[in-house]
Amino acid sequence: MYSHQTLASTLPILSQLHDLIQNAVVSADCPDVQIMDAQWYRVRFYEVHALDLRLMPDNRLLMTDTCENSASKKTKGITEAPSSSLLRPLPNLASLWNEIVTETGTHETPRSSNHDRTSSPNMVTVSLLPNQENIHTLIKNIQEKKLHKGPKP
């Protein structure tokens, strides 16, 4: 059973994912949202890429590339659900996040330094509440700008 605190920390992310969940039903261009757990969500882009969103203690959000989660032993304890081996890697999440916060004026540096993709997992940890809109923007940027659009199967 989940506590009141868990529910309170879940609402901000659900408010950002709500439109995606609703639009995925009617639009083939909208990413699909899978609710893996009360504190774990997976956003799938055309069944080719996927972004995991995990709520953590102290109102933090961990965003990871699902493709790496299935292959990386470093993050296996964090994300244990199976994912398709057909997924391709996402663009560098720290770079995408830094572009967004630079544009919006939010001045939080993510707890990640994955500029060297050969040695670091593709993940970013941020404070959830001040970054709600930025999370939606990140998902939109991954969908529209960084990935090659293709029809949903």
Side-chain angles (χ1 to χ4, degrees):
M1 185 128 207
Y2 295 102
S3 68
H4 178 280
Q5 184 179 10
T6 301
L7 179 60
S9 67
T10 302
L11 290 176
I13 191 71
L14 284 175
S15 70
Q16 291 303 308
L17 296 176
H18 179 264
D19 289 342
L20 290 176
I21 293 168
Q22 295 298 315
N23 291 336
V25 175
V26 295
S27 174
D29 290 333
C30 187
D32 292 320
V33 177
Q34 293 176 285
I35 300 173
M36 309 299 284
D37 189 307
Q39 296 180 309
W40 180 7
Y41 311 93
R42 180 167 288 160
V43 181
R44 296 183 67 96
F45 304 89
Y46 305 109
E47 300 298 324
V48 176
H49 304 275
L51 174 70
D52 277 356
L53 305 170
R54 299 282 309 253
L55 294 171
M56 298 171 53
D58 299 324
N59 205 25
R60 306 289 294 167
L61 180 70
L62 173 67
M63 298 177 281
T64 60
D65 184 348
T66 306
C67 175
E68 289 188 5
N69 293 342
S70 61
S72 173
K73 291 181 182 179
K74 291 180 184 178
T75 60
K76 187 167 173 133
I78 298 170
T79 54
E80 296 172 351
S83 62
S84 171
S85 60
L86 302 176
L87 291 174
R88 290 187 288 178
L90 286 168
N92 185 291
L93 294 174
S95 295
L96 290 174
W97 186 260
N98 288 334
E99 288 174 19
I100 292 166
V101 297
T102 300
E103 291 172 10
T104 62
T106 306
H107 297 292
E108 179 189 359
T109 303
R111 286 189 179 176
S112 168
S113 61
N114 54 357
H115 298 289
D116 177 10
R117 292 291 307 277
T118 59
S119 63
S120 299
N122 192 12
M123 63 174 50
V124 176
T125 305
V126 298
S127 295
L128 180 59
L129 290 179
N131 288 298
Q132 291 179 53
E133 292 297 322
N134 292 341
I135 294 162
H136 187 266
T137 303
L138 175 70
I139 292 169
K140 209 163 120 180
N141 285 358
I142 291 171
Q143 178 188 12
E144 294 175 355
K145 297 178 185 176
K146 301 297 180 183
L147 303 178
H148 298 292
K149 286 189 174 185
K152 255 186 176 177

